[in-house]
Amino acid sequence: MKKLDYYVLDVFTVQRYTGNQLSVVYTPEELSLEQYHQISREFGYSETSFVHYSEVSGALEVRSFTPAGFEVNGAGHNLLGAVILALLKQWDIFKTQGDARWVAINGTPIPLNISQNNGHPFVAMKQRRAEILGNIPHARIAEAIGLDVESIGINGWESKVVKTEVSHLMVPIKDSNTLIHAIPNKALLKALSEEYDFDGFYLFSTEPSAKGYLASTRFFNPGIGIDEDPATGTAAGPLTGYLEKLGHVQKNKDHIIFQGEQTGHPSEIHVRVEDDGVMVSGSSVIVMEGNIYL
């Protein structure tokens, strides 16, 4: 019987039992695709990351899967939690990299900046510059998210499919109270994402908040088995890039996106638009660890 070490972290937070839950399994060698799927299904979190250090690439290699068996790419909570785990456990994953630190998600290198924030490890992941791929009429979206069409759109903003690492639909909602009352229809959401060729739905309100958040958000992606996600780094990057294109965000200025209130796991995603991409940042805490048997 083979035994693997596993860890569960709360990501995009510094407080246990908040943030986005992530299971991370250390795999000294590649597993079969069936084993990746079985373990991810067993944990049942929105994503499970499998990590090992590669002497060949000189980097931490990460692969991530949803409980429904979909492999996830991009610089999101699946990658952030894995990197924070390595830092907390003092794994020497940057020993050959010098100052240009990076990790790989499914073979794609992701540049990192490592720092400390109030005694917690803080990791910034570089996503590509935001690219707008198209728009979807608000009337098509309203029924799928259980809101009136008049509730969608502020400042004349359209619902756009935007991509940095992964393409998601950005849906502007008129205020935070309306955002709370969105009721997703999974079948309609899946049909829209397939028709327009994108992954998830990122509903957002830029209504001013007491804590000065850039936006309050909710994320749905039933197409890959995520009913609602507490924190979605691969959507926060595109949203920030889209808001910068709309003139709502200045380059090189730090902002925080709030997500997860409706799931009971409030999260804070730090974002900043730069000339060559979008930085998505945060911390994580370990909440449990143990062994899993194959």
Side-chain angles (χ1 to χ4, degrees), residues 157-174:
W157 297 346
E158 296 180 298
S159 293
K160 295 284 190 180
V161 177
V162 186
K163 179 179 181 180
T164 53
E165 306 295 322
V166 183
S167 58
H168 298 300
L169 178 66
M170 307 293 114
V171 184
I173 303 298
K174 68 177 184 180

Side-chain angles (χ1 to χ4, degrees), residues 46 141-142 144-147 167-171 173 178-190 192-193 198-204 217-232 234-235 259-260 262-263:
S46 62
I141 302 167
I145 61 175
L147 295 175
S167 58
H168 298 300
L169 178 66
M170 307 293 114
V171 184
I173 303 298
T178 304
L179 178 69
I180 291 170
H181 289 92
I183 302 175
N185 181 309
K186 291 194 288 186
L188 294 179
L189 292 177
K190 289 173 67 174
L192 272 177
S193 64
F198 64 90
D199 278 49
F201 294 74
Y202 208 38
L203 280 58
F204 70 93
T217 61
R218 297 179 68 184
F219 180 83
F220 312 114
N221 193 355
I224 62 170
I226 300 175
D227 290 343
E228 181 162 3
D229 206 24
T232 315
T234 61
Q259 188 180 337
Q262 283 68 44
T263 66

Side-chain angles (χ1 to χ4, degrees), residues 40-105:
S40 301
R41 188 167 59 247
E42 189 73 14
F43 278 112
Y45 298 127
S46 62
E47 294 167 24
T48 294
S49 291
F50 299 84
V51 303
H52 70 277
Y53 179 79
S54 170
E55 296 288 351
V56 175
S57 66
L60 185 73
E61 301 275 356
V62 183
R63 295 184 70 179
S64 302
F65 295 85
T66 73
F70 290 88
E71 185 160 11
V72 179
N73 297 315
H77 91 283
N78 56 314
L79 190 67
L80 177 63
V83 175
I84 294 286
L85 172 65
L87 296 174
L88 291 173
K89 291 296 181 179
Q90 298 183 334
W91 298 342
D92 196 6
I93 62 172
F94 303 121
K95 57 187 177 182
T96 64
Q97 293 185 7
D99 294 332
R101 295 178 172 182
W102 60 280
V103 295
I105 176 75

